[in-house]
């Protein structure tokens, strides 16, 4: 793709509280439609403020990638879901201490009043938090998916009954996060009280979707990006925030037997 690309991001809030966000990377001809679709989504949340930012990105820096393979885990309850997340993180090279720290922090919405806008950066060995602003976290931004890959992804997810836009969006975000050289794994579940599913993603294990990581009605949630032990976070933060990343192909979907 040698056409100009624009990063477009939306953030809707009410009384400083985050309501809705969205992110895409689109050619010039797609900017207006993308902005309108994001504004439409923001509006369904009755926001007080909506920010839509549009920035041309330097296509010379563009990194292309594909989605991780998605595995659908089957767990009996929240405790089993969280236990599975800990096992999967350790398999990816995260220490039990670091995995437990992040899981507990997310279960408490990272100790901030309200939810973080970004993710915790966690040293996979020591469990130390590396993000400069612990109440905000680090946001992955300037990423998107081509229309063809998006359509392929929606089609494949629908075959498995996954029709909520959150799954596809999390897969795309995670593709960029895992493309950061120092990131070895990610843990996430939403702060949306009606969305108990979340995931562990890692470079070698792919995206493991865990259907129960919290009880419905629970408003806590968040994200953690685990960096290889001893990594300096600066280059990872620069990659996550600045490098444009475009998903051009999807992965496979596997379903685990209960
Ligand atoms: N960069 C870093 N962290 C982010 C970003 C971002 N661009 N967007 C959200 N977060 C963090 C922030 O702390 C939020 O509070 C938290 O993640 C949860 O965000 O397969 O919808 O947008 O169906 O509520 C999981 C999908 C959905 C599971 C997760 O997260 C599936 C979701 P939300
Ligand atoms: Mg949310």
């Amino acid at each position: 793709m040698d056409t100009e690309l624009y990063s477009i991001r939306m953030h809707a809030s009410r009384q400083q509280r985050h309501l809705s966000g969205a992110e895409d990377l689109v050619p010039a001809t797609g900017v207006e439609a993308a902005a309108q679709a994001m504004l439409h989504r923001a509006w369904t949340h009755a926001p007080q403020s909506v920010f839509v930012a549009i920035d041309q990105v330097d296509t010379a820096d563009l990194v292309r990638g594909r989605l991780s393979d998605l595995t659908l885990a089957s767990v009996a309850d929240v405790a089993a879901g969280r236990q599975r997340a800990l096992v999967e993180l350790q398999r990816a090279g995260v220490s039990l201490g670091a995995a437990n720290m992040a899981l507990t922090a997310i279960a408490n919405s990272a100790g901030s009043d309200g939810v973080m806008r970004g993710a915790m950066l966690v040293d996979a060995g020591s469990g130390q938090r590396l993000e400069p602003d612990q109440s905000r976290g680090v946001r992955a931004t300037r990423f998107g998916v081509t229309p063809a890959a998006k359509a392929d992804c929606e089609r494949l997810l629908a075959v498995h009954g996954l029709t909520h836009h959150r799954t596809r969006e999390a897969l795309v975000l995670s593709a960029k996060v895992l493309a950061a050289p120092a990131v070895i794994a990610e843990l996430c579940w939403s702060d949306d009280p009606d969305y108990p599913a979340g995931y562990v993603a890692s470079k070698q294990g792919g995206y493991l979707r865990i259907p129960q990581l919290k009880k419905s009605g629970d408003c806590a949630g968040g994200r953690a990006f685990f960096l290889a032990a001893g990594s300096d976070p600066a280059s990872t933060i620069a990659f996550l925030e600045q490098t444009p990343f475009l998903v051009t192909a999807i992965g496979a979907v596997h379903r685990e037997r209960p």
Side-chain angles (χ1 to χ4, degrees):
M1 188 183 296
D2 43 19
T3 158
E4 298 298 349
L5 285 178
Y6 288 79
S7 160
I8 172 163
R9 331 187 265 294
M10 178 277 286
H11 170 223
S13 61
R14 162 167 295 274
Q15 273 143 13
Q16 257 64 270
R17 201 184 144 68
H18 169 82
L19 295 173
S20 173
E23 170 92 36
D24 209 350
L25 208 57
V26 298
T29 51
V31 168
E32 284 184 76
Q36 196 164 36
M38 285 184 191
L39 189 57
H40 179 76
R41 191 204 285 195
W43 225 249
T44 64
H45 295 271
Q48 218 164 26
S49 316
V50 181
F51 288 89
V52 176
I54 298 166
D55 289 291
Q56 192 172 3
V57 302
D58 194 344
T59 34
D61 295 343
L62 182 69
V63 176
R64 293 179 180 77
R66 48 157 269 172
L67 298 181
S68 295
D69 290 348
L70 165 65
T71 302
L72 303 172
S74 163
V75 296
D77 53 23
V78 175
R82 291 186 178 181
Q83 184 53 37
R84 180 66 195 276
L86 291 176
V87 167
E88 209 60 30
L89 287 168
Q90 289 175 88
R91 204 172 273 160
V94 178
S95 72
L96 179 58
N100 256 321
M101 185 288 292
L103 191 120
T104 305
I106 294 174
N108 297 310
S109 279
S112 46
D113 45 323
V115 210
M116 289 169 74
R117 286 201 55 216
M120 297 180 270
L121 287 188
V122 180
D123 182 293
S126 68
Q128 198 191 337
R129 282 179 63 173
L130 305 171
E131 72 275 17
D133 178 347
Q134 294 201 354
S135 62
R136 177 184 180 273
V138 171
R139 278 187 72 79
T141 185
R142 291 179 165 73
F143 58 84
V145 54
T146 60
K150 180 178 175 179
D152 287 349
C153 183
E154 281 174 340
R155 234 179 343 255
L156 181 58
L157 292 178
V159 169
H160 294 273
L162 298 170
T163 52
H164 200 295
H165 61 78
R166 282 180 190 278
T167 307
R168 172 178 44 80
E169 289 173 356
L171 276 163
V172 173
L173 183 153
S174 170
K176 176 169 183 185
V177 170
L178 291 176
V183 172
I184 63 169
E186 182 189 0
L187 169 66
C188 167
W189 69 87
S190 180
D191 55 306
D192 181 336
D194 299 324
Y195 205 88
Y199 64 93
V200 169
S202 68
K203 279 188 164 69
Q204 95 289 359
Y207 182 108
L208 179 73
R209 182 177 197 268
I210 303 174
Q212 301 185 64
L213 278 174
K214 69 174 184 183
K215 293 206 159 63
S216 59
D218 181 349
C219 292
R223 261 192 171 89
F225 303 154
F226 296 90
L227 272 55
S231 301
D232 172 2
S235 60
T236 300
I237 293 172
F239 178 87
L240 293 172
E241 292 182 340
Q242 301 298 336
T243 303
F245 184 89
L246 185 64
V247 169
T248 57
I250 67 171
V253 177
H254 310 286
R255 184 183 291 276
E256 285 182 351
R257 294 185 181 285

